[in-house]
Amino acid sequence: MSAVAQMIDVNAAADAEQELTDGFHLVIDALKLNGIETIYGVPGIPITDLGRMAQAEGLRVVSFRHEQNAGNAAAIAGFLTKKPGICLTVSAPGFLNGLTALANATTNCFPMILISGSSEREIVDLQQGDYEEMDQLAIAKPLCKAAFRVLHAEDIGIGVARAIRAAVSGRPGGVYLDLPAKLFSQVMDAEKGAKSLVKVIDAAPAQLPAPSAVTRALDVLKGAKKPLVILGKGAAYAQADEEIRTFVETSGIPFLPMSMAKGLLPDTHELNAGAARSVVLKDADVVLLVGARLNWLLSHGKGKTWGDAPKQFIQIDIEPKEMDSNVEIVAPVVGDIGSCISALLDGVKAGWTAPPSEWIETIKARKDVNIAKMSQRLLKNSTPMDFHSALGALKQVIKERPDAMLVNEGANTLDLARGVIDMYQPRKRLDVGTWGVMGIGMGFAVAAAVETGKPVLAVEGDSAFGFSGMEVETICRYNLPVCIVVFNNNGIYRGLDTDPTGRDPGTTVFVKDSRYDKMMEAFGGVGVNATTPDELKRAVDAAMDSGKPTLINAVIDPAAGSESGNIGSLNPQSVVKKKS
């Protein structure tokens, strides 16, 4: 064969090779086609090369130290962007680690897709003992909104599209996408592969409320003497910020924000009833729920929290089955929050009568009393600090930096912070949400920094921080503008428990006077030990100004804190003494 012929053969072979694609590339191309820009995960068999290739193709791939934290990052990314956050894990144990975050995302209505590599079907189904053998699809199904498995490369486009649509349509939630190892190396014609991809169109279409439902809700509101609007995190997720604010201000109805809805209207707004929560829940006669559920966080809409006064509930939710879940909803309004609020606003603008001044004045009087009481506690300059004096310093930080992201978890640290730290802008406060789980802190902090580019203040109880604390290395590795404040009172709730036998430390006690700041220093970040509110404020300001990864060990009195925080009533106590 001539040299020219050989060269032609070589070029032809090269051309043929360039015209092929495989499962790796099709997964990446499908994500990119649908506007996915970031993947959170932990590398390993069989998805190590998928992460490398995704990074090479321009996707941002943030690698964590534990899949649960990566999953939490993906979940909150979904909340912040209204696009499904992507978590990528290995099979079996890695998948199970990510599954906790997926279930939490579903419970909280955060759009998220957990993509996990898995073992080969023919071996798994016969239980022949494959590497990390597990029927992951079957395990995931009860814990998420939808679950899919892709076996053939030509179906990757459809699989990704179905996962995206399921995650964001209707009530958002978690979706599982199972990708067996053999799928990645499957090869197909590149042109056919490109044609097999699907760009999702109108994944979360507007769902308009029925006009009769809007009229019914307005009629109930018009008859109210003591109306109240409760804003849930669904209202924050909807990004109908201007419509919600205009509705509240036009109607003149006081509002109570749930913790992740804080900032939809500034907490300092004159109609914010947060500082009079007990009064408004007990005395209100008509309650409009906007993206909020009558679950345990609102005492299921009944009991002593809600008092004896008769109540009528109006509920806006995209999920019809949510209505009447705990109490009768006299005016259900089914649809997306933006459309529903806009429809109600049209009615409010036409000859609306503001709530009676007596109701507004009653709320204001209670707010003034409670705020005055709280102010004295926040100004206390004690050493060691208690929760209130430390939070007083952080309250000022957020007031001066309203654009910053606040992540918050713990028991007392969470309970008190959401009442003390005012928020001024929507979707700036991220916390444990519906389940109240610990361990979301570092995952949320990483995603908040990555997705928004804003400085992040993570306020952590020492117990809560322990669930994801190793991710300080991740924060340092990616040089993220995250300042972590660990409220260190030497234990869970308090640091004073003892073992009656004298053998071990008490079950709720940690190592005395731990220095969490040294963890951050170990990875090249800034560590600070703060013992007074002034030291804490200066350290946080420096961290937020510098943008450097920082951890501040805030020394809190070990005696500060109460058992189970504000939900001690949910923690059963034995009343039986064992006979000796």
Side-chain angles (χ1 to χ4, degrees):
M1 182 182 291
S2 69
V4 173
Q6 288 179 337
M7 185 174 297
I8 291 173
D9 285 347
V10 169
N11 289 338
D15 289 342
E17 187 174 333
Q18 290 171 357
E19 293 172 358
L20 297 177
T21 188
D22 62 13
F24 287 109
H25 290 91
L26 288 169
V27 171
I28 294 165
D29 291 344
L31 294 173
K32 291 178 66 176
L33 180 65
N34 284 286
I36 301 299
E37 299 174 348
T38 305
I39 295 173
Y40 301 94
V42 176
I45 298 171
I47 49 86
T48 308
D49 275 356
L50 180 62
R52 290 181 178 134
M53 294 167 69
Q55 189 177 58
E57 291 291 328
L59 289 171
R60 189 167 193 187
V61 180
V62 181
S63 295
F64 281 72
R65 302 300 293 265
H66 193 282
E67 292 89 352
Q68 184 172 324
N69 305 322
N72 285 326
I76 209 64
F79 172 77
L80 291 169
T81 66
K82 298 187 75 172
K83 296 191 297 186
I86 306 297
C87 178
L88 181 63
T89 81
V90 303
S91 49
F95 153 77
L96 290 174
N97 289 340
L99 194 58
T100 299
L102 185 70
N104 190 49
T106 304
T107 300
N108 281 286
C109 308
F110 299 154
M112 169 193 170
I113 302 174
L114 175 64
I115 301 176
S116 295
S118 62
S119 297
E120 303 313 322
R121 295 305 318 151
E122 61 271 23
I123 302 178
V124 171
D125 290 345
L126 283 172
Q127 299 179 24
Q128 292 179 322
D130 199 8
Y131 171 72
E132 295 189 346
E133 178 182 283
M134 180 177 288
D135 190 351
Q136 296 170 198
L137 189 75
I139 293 170
K141 278 184 177 180
L143 299 173
C144 58
K145 186 179 177 186
F148 307 102
R149 177 184 291 128
V150 182
L151 295 177
H152 305 291
E154 58 265 31
D155 294 328
I156 287 172
I158 285 291
V160 170
R162 293 201 70 188
I164 290 172
R165 193 175 292 278
V168 300
S169 62
R171 174 172 280 178
V175 175
Y176 175 59
L177 189 59
D178 189 279
L179 304 181
K182 279 186 179 179
L183 177 72
F184 297 114
S185 57
Q186 288 181 22
V187 174
M188 66 181 295
D189 178 79
E191 185 177 351
K192 289 183 179 179
K195 289 180 179 178
S196 73
L197 301 181
V198 177
K199 182 175 176 60
V200 179
I201 306 300
D202 201 11
Q207 295 190 28
L208 305 181
S212 59
V214 175
T215 300
R216 184 188 305 115
L218 287 169
D219 287 344
V220 174
L221 273 177
K222 288 175 183 176
K225 300 299 183 185
K226 297 179 178 180
L228 175 69
V229 174
I230 297 182
L231 302 174
K233 66 176 177 293
Y237 173 81
Q239 297 192 16
D241 308 336
E242 193 58 40
E243 293 91 337
I244 290 170
R245 179 168 187 152
T246 303
F247 173 80
V248 169
E249 292 181 340
T250 302
S251 69
I253 301 175
F255 69 95
L256 178 67
M258 302 301 287
S259 61
M260 283 182 61
K262 286 164 65 71
L264 270 169
L265 290 86
D267 280 340
T268 51
H269 196 285
E270 62 182 0
L271 289 173
N272 184 5
R277 176 186 171 101
S278 60
V279 167
V280 294
L281 292 181
K282 180 170 62 70
D283 293 344
D285 59 356
V286 173
V287 179
L288 170 60
L289 300 160
V290 183
R293 291 176 282 185
L294 286 173
N295 55 22
W296 70 276
L297 291 163
L298 285 169
S299 302
H300 307 285
K302 49 197 171 185
K304 63 180 182 180
T305 297
W306 291 90
D308 298 324
K311 299 278 190 295
Q312 288 185 299
F313 288 96
I314 305 166
Q315 184 163 7
I316 297 175
D317 203 290
I318 203 166
E319 174 52 69
K321 295 194 298 292
E322 182 61 34
M323 308 303 174
D324 308 317
S325 58
N326 277 292
V327 298
E328 178 187 11
I329 303 299
V330 300
V333 184
V334 178
D336 71 273
I337 287 171
S339 297
C340 293
I341 287 292
S342 294
L344 289 175
L345 183 58
D346 289 341
V348 166
K349 287 178 178 176
W352 184 259
T353 301
S357 57
E358 297 92 328
W359 176 232
I360 304 300
E361 289 302 317
T362 296
I363 295 171
K364 183 179 183 303
R366 179 56 62 94
K367 283 171 56 178
D368 290 345
V369 169
N370 289 342
I371 290 172
K373 287 180 180 178
M374 179 68 73
S375 296
Q376 296 302 312
R377 303 186 72 178
L378 301 182
L379 293 174
K380 187 178 179 181
N381 196 24
S382 57
T383 304
M385 295 178 282
D386 60 19
F387 287 97
H388 286 90
S389 59
L391 288 170
L394 301 183
K395 175 187 175 78
Q396 189 65 26
V397 170
I398 295 299
K399 182 178 181 180
E400 294 168 1
R401 305 167 192 269
D403 201 32
M405 305 296 296
L406 175 67
V407 175
N408 185 207
E409 63 174 336
N412 295 278
T413 306
L414 171 74
D415 291 339
L416 297 173
R418 59 187 166 198
V420 168
I421 300 178
D422 290 328
M423 305 305 297
Y424 303 88
Q425 297 178 17
R427 291 171 299 283
K428 297 297 184 182
R429 179 184 169 82
L430 311 174
D431 65 31
V432 299
T434 304
W435 263 358
V437 298
M438 297 296 102
I440 54 88
M442 297 302 97
F444 279 19
V446 169
V450 169
E451 300 293 341
T452 71
K454 303 295 184 183
V456 178
L457 175 62
V459 182
E460 302 274 311
D462 49 0
S463 174
F465 176 70
F467 285 81
S468 62
M470 191 60 191
E471 301 300 346
V472 297
E473 187 273 333
T474 305
I475 291 168
C476 289
R477 186 172 6 120
Y478 289 92
N479 194 32
L480 298 174
V482 175
C483 173
I484 305 160
V485 178
V486 177
F487 277 27
N488 182 4
N489 67 342
N490 293 346
I492 302 171
Y493 312 134
R494 292 183 299 269
L496 301 178
D497 276 4
T498 58
D499 177 1
T501 70
R503 180 177 55 192
D504 292 318
T507 57
T508 62
V509 172
F510 297 148
V511 171
K512 185 179 179 181
D513 300 330
S514 297
R515 292 289 301 273
Y516 293 98
D517 50 306
K518 299 299 182 182
M519 288 180 62
M520 184 63 92
E521 291 178 355
F523 299 111
V526 177
V528 180
N529 189 56
T531 60
T532 68
D534 288 343
E535 289 178 357
L536 178 57
K537 175 68 163 57
R538 286 196 300 270
V540 175
D541 282 339
M544 303 292 269
D545 287 340
S546 72
K548 295 178 181 178
T550 303
L551 192 154
I552 301 165
N553 184 64
V555 180
I556 305 294
D557 186 347
S562 60
E563 182 82 13
S564 302
N566 286 342
I567 56 173
S569 61
L570 301 181
N571 193 10
Q573 305 289 310
S574 174
V575 295
V576 176
K577 292 184 177 180
K578 188 176 180 180
K579 295 179 180 179
S580 57

